Amino acid sequence: MASPSALTTISTKQARIAELAKIHRDNPLRSLGHHMDLAWMREAFARTRRDGAVGIDGVTGDAYEANLDANLVSRLDRMKSGTYSAPPVRRVHIPKGDGSQTRAIGIPTFEDKVAQRAIQMLLEPIYEAEFYAFSYGFRPGRSAHHALAALMEGARALGGGWVLDVDVSKFFDTLDHEQLRDLLRKRVGDGVVGRMVGKWLNAGVLEGGIVHHVDRGTPQGGVISPLLANIYLHEVLDGWWVREVLPRLRGRATLVRYADDFVMVFEDHGDALRVQEVLPKRFARFALTLHPTKTRLVPFRTNGADPSEPPPGSFDFLGFTHHWGRTRWGAPVIMRKTASSRFSRALKALNQWLRGARHLPVAAQAKTLGQKLRGHFAYYGIRGNSCAINRFHYEARVLWRKWLSRRSQRAWMKWEAFNRLLTMYPLPPARLAHP
């Protein structure tokens, strides 16, 4: 970690960049690269995970740290002189949703992760001054739970309304490089930054021993990718929503976006229909498409006084299904529960891990299983979701008992024996992390 004085210097530089971005809001900043020095690169290294998967060169974070200053100086020199050639990212596929599909993840080399973090530290102060409050994904001081809370607050204020649940088809695979560069040049005219982003976009991906070069997409997994995605969608969606959509609406509306996942809530049905019609055309201008069946308009009103209105439906956002329920006193209330696809996926992943770890010592299994449960509860443990996290806790115990029973040819472990084991190796209780 950088020293306190170095952190203060970096913070001062970022504050200065943010100030200049506000002063020159309509012009690109042309002098940014000089802010990057050895202290800046050390802080970029400190902010980079060292235990992540390795890129195509096989260099780990620990190996890079063994000769840290020399590596950082070399990297900085090559970045500023323009002699650096970005290596392809290593592509892997991870399960998506219910496991029937996969998501492509790009894994850069560790050196590139550090360099991308350094460039991100330059760009972030510029765009944080421009991004809107309803954008939550991958921004400092903001999280998925902040987005969920904003959605709840907005939906409550409208009494439900009509929800436009939007799915952008393969956003990270179809983001257009040239349009992204054009958007970046509007605010950033520095040659070092422009060259580096261009090289990362053109680096290609290594899959099956073959390097593929494309003019679209930014693989998920790269440090810089979330910020580039936010820059792109800030123009495609956020700015358009504020400048052109809101002034033309008859009723109130709210938008909440987390990266490429977003929902719109409308008070007026006609407003919702008009935006639903024009939204695909807006995205098509930037080479993006909306999924034809997953993008849908959901009735989400509270009252049932008008029999001609459809009953309220439900929609998923950030791993939770949002639906209407009743309090114990009978009042209508918006409720959230773990989405069934996320619940099944989490259990499937837990089952696979327990199967592979069944021959480890029981104490080691209990320790890791406890960490996995705490992680699940830390995200899904929100108010109103007690049933789902209690059920997950129960299903996790069932799976652990199953795989402990298969450690040998002995009879299936009885619940009495398993409960005695739990007294020796207790698992963390299901609890609400966000009550």
Side-chain angles (χ1 to χ4, degrees):
M1 190 62 143
S3 66
S5 59
L7 285 176
T8 301
T9 301
I10 292 167
S11 178
T12 301
K13 288 181 177 181
Q14 289 182 314
R16 178 57 178 162
I17 293 172
E19 182 183 357
L20 289 172
K22 291 179 181 179
I23 294 172
H24 303 285
R25 188 174 293 275
D26 297 325
N27 297 295
L29 300 184
R30 302 189 180 279
S31 181
L32 293 171
H34 71 278
H35 291 294
M36 291 192 298
D37 53 19
L38 182 56
W40 188 279
M41 298 300 291
R42 283 177 181 153
E43 178 59 17
F45 168 81
R47 297 184 187 186
T48 304
R49 282 185 55 187
R50 274 166 275 181
D51 58 349
V54 299
I56 64 171
D57 61 358
V59 176
T60 65
D62 291 338
Y64 192 83
E65 187 180 16
N67 196 18
L68 182 60
D69 280 2
N71 286 331
L72 294 178
V73 168
S74 172
R75 187 66 170 94
L76 187 59
D77 288 344
R78 285 176 286 146
M79 288 170 63
K80 292 191 174 184
S81 65
T83 59
Y84 179 75
S85 178
V89 299
R90 181 169 66 89
R91 174 173 284 176
V92 297
H93 295 268
I94 62 172
K96 179 181 180 181
D98 60 1
S100 60
Q101 296 179 320
T102 60
R103 174 183 286 111
I105 299 293
I107 303 175
T109 63
F110 185 81
E111 183 178 54
D112 255 4
K113 291 178 183 178
V114 174
Q116 289 185 21
R117 182 69 68 187
I119 297 296
Q120 180 210 38
M121 288 162 56
L122 285 176
L123 294 177
E124 199 169 69
I126 300 172
Y127 287 99
E128 277 301 309
E130 298 196 1
F131 289 159
Y132 292 103
F134 53 77
S135 167
Y136 290 88
F138 307 104
R139 294 181 59 190
R142 291 169 170 251
S143 70
H145 289 101
H146 290 125
L148 289 164
L151 176 60
M152 285 286 283
E153 182 180 348
R156 283 187 188 128
L158 299 179
W162 298 83
V163 173
L164 186 54
D165 183 14
V166 184
D167 185 277
V168 184
S169 296
K170 299 181 178 179
F171 170 74
F172 283 92
D173 295 330
T174 57
L175 184 150
D176 185 83
H177 290 180
E178 191 54 43
Q179 296 209 53
L180 174 60
R181 290 192 190 94
D182 289 342
L183 293 176
L184 195 63
R185 280 193 286 264
K186 289 182 179 180
R187 297 301 289 123
V188 180
D190 183 89
V192 173
V193 175
R195 276 198 310 269
M196 292 308 302
V197 172
K199 288 183 178 183
W200 287 321
L201 291 175
N202 295 327
V205 295
L206 177 66
E207 187 173 16
I210 302 174
V211 177
H212 303 272
H213 293 276
V214 294
D215 59 358
R216 294 178 183 271
T218 170
Q220 296 183 68
V223 174
I224 199 72
S225 294
L227 179 56
L228 297 179
N230 273 336
I231 293 171
Y232 204 78
L233 287 172
H234 175 74
E235 177 62 28
V236 177
L237 178 64
D238 303 354
W240 173 73
W241 172 263
V242 171
R243 295 188 307 267
E244 301 184 34
V245 176
L246 287 180
R248 291 177 169 85
L249 298 181
R250 290 183 295 201
R252 295 174 296 168
T254 187
L255 164 66
V256 177
R257 181 174 71 81
Y258 190 92
D260 63 325
D261 197 357
F262 65 93
V263 291
M264 300 170 171
V265 188
F266 297 89
E267 184 178 39
D268 183 82
H269 188 203
D271 287 340
L273 290 173
R274 286 191 295 274
V275 174
Q276 183 184 26
E277 180 182 2
V278 75
L279 193 63
K281 301 173 185 176
R282 172 66 182 181
F283 273 66
R285 287 181 55 189
F286 293 86
L288 298 174
T289 58
L290 304 185
H291 198 289
T293 58
K294 293 182 180 179
T295 298
R296 60 199 183 101
L297 188 60
V298 180
F300 205 65
R301 288 190 178 276
T302 58
N303 62 47
D306 187 350
S308 65
E309 284 193 354
S314 63
F315 63 96
D316 290 352
F317 183 61
L318 298 181
F320 292 91
T321 297
H322 296 67
H323 62 100
W324 280 100
R326 296 277 176 179
T327 67
R328 66 182 68 180
W329 301 281
V333 63
I334 299 174
M335 305 185 74
R336 299 171 295 183
K337 62 182 180 180
T338 308
S340 58
S341 60
R342 294 292 187 93
F343 191 95
S344 300
R345 183 172 69 182
L347 273 186
K348 181 178 179 180
L350 191 62
N351 184 61
Q352 291 176 338
W353 176 79
L354 285 168
R355 179 182 181 182
R358 65 187 183 275
H359 294 304
L360 294 177
V362 175
Q365 291 186 45
K367 179 180 179 181
T368 303
L369 179 57
Q371 293 171 343
K372 292 180 179 294
L373 289 174
R374 289 187 189 93
H376 186 87
F377 302 150
Y379 187 78
Y380 291 103
I382 65 172
R383 184 180 181 181
N385 199 34
S386 297
C387 289
I389 64 171
N390 282 325
R391 183 184 160 212
F392 190 84
H393 192 271
Y394 169 76
E395 296 290 352
R397 298 197 307 273
V398 170
L399 289 174
W400 195 24
R401 172 176 171 259
K402 178 184 81 171
W403 289 111
L404 286 174
S405 299
R406 297 187 180 184
R407 284 162 63 96
S408 67
Q409 300 301 316
R410 292 177 295 177
W412 194 271
M413 180 183 286
K414 296 183 181 299
W415 274 106
E416 293 84 355
F418 181 67
N419 287 332
R420 287 195 300 270
L421 182 141
L422 286 176
T423 62
M424 299 171 58
Y425 304 101
L427 297 176
R431 58 180 293 272
L432 299 183
H434 310 275

